[in-house]
Amino acid sequence: MEPACVRSQTRNEKGTTPIGVGAQRFWVRERSNGKKKSNRPLEEKETRYWLDVLEETLESLRLSGSKIRPWFQLDRAGDFREALMWASVVNADFTTRACHDRRVLSPEEDYLIKKHALEEAQLTYQATAQRLAALGIPADEIRHLATG
């Protein structure tokens, strides 16, 4: 049986309460033939579902009349070239957990991790075990966060 996959985007407004699903996409992963697939067009890659869901979420916000500026949080699979390029031209904020040291703009320019290290931090936050516990995070989760 082939694995089923899902990509979702929830909507939160006025605080942290989810108000619904902005967009969601299901698909069944095809069997791999073992060949390298990085040179395929976006339309043939699973990563296209990331952009589909992001664009559908923006459309959902527009149709609902929402005036918020969306903030998309992408996990480490969301650091692909097309998503990063898309993020640079839409009216939204993004946090992407990078998985690969991608080129920033072109082969002649620096890589993401080096460029990021040169940037001034926009926000820092130090969470102590006591603060995490006050937020209701279980002790075993706090131990896991502390040990990596």
Side-chain angles (χ1 to χ4, degrees), residues 5-140:
C5 304
V6 65
R7 180 69 49 224
S8 301
Q9 186 68 46
T10 58
R11 288 183 51 195
N12 301 341
E13 284 190 51
K14 296 181 181 164
T16 60
T17 305
I19 62 168
V21 175
Q24 192 168 58
R25 185 62 55 101
F26 291 90
W27 73 95
V28 175
R29 186 170 284 159
E30 297 178 15
R31 287 191 186 269
S32 173
N33 60 11
K35 293 181 181 178
K36 189 173 181 175
K37 301 176 182 178
S38 62
N39 293 327
R40 292 178 299 155
L42 179 64
E43 296 78 28
E44 295 178 14
K45 297 179 183 179
E46 284 187 6
T47 52
R48 72 183 180 274
Y49 299 121
W50 281 89
L51 293 178
D52 290 348
V53 168
L54 294 170
E55 289 174 351
E56 289 170 17
T57 300
L58 288 178
E59 182 64 5
S60 169
L61 289 169
R62 188 188 69 73
L63 291 173
S64 73
S66 176
K67 303 294 184 214
I68 67 162
R69 179 179 172 92
W71 175 25
F72 295 104
Q73 297 180 45
L74 310 179
D75 71 17
R76 65 186 190 153
D79 70 344
F80 61 98
R81 174 185 41 230
E82 293 88 353
L84 296 174
M85 291 172 61
W86 184 83
S88 72
V89 297
V90 297
N91 188 26
D93 294 320
F94 288 82
T95 300
T96 303
R97 190 175 81 171
C99 179
H100 300 285
D101 194 13
R102 311 266 190 206
R103 285 195 175 103
V104 177
L105 294 173
S106 69
E108 298 79 32
E109 298 198 46
D110 286 333
Y111 285 81
L112 181 62
I113 293 173
K114 180 180 177 187
K115 185 160 181 63
H116 177 63
L118 298 173
E119 298 285 331
E120 182 178 338
Q122 300 298 308
L123 173 70
T124 59
Y125 180 79
Q126 183 175 356
T128 64
Q130 187 176 23
R131 284 183 187 160
L132 294 172
L135 292 171
I137 298 174
D140 60 329

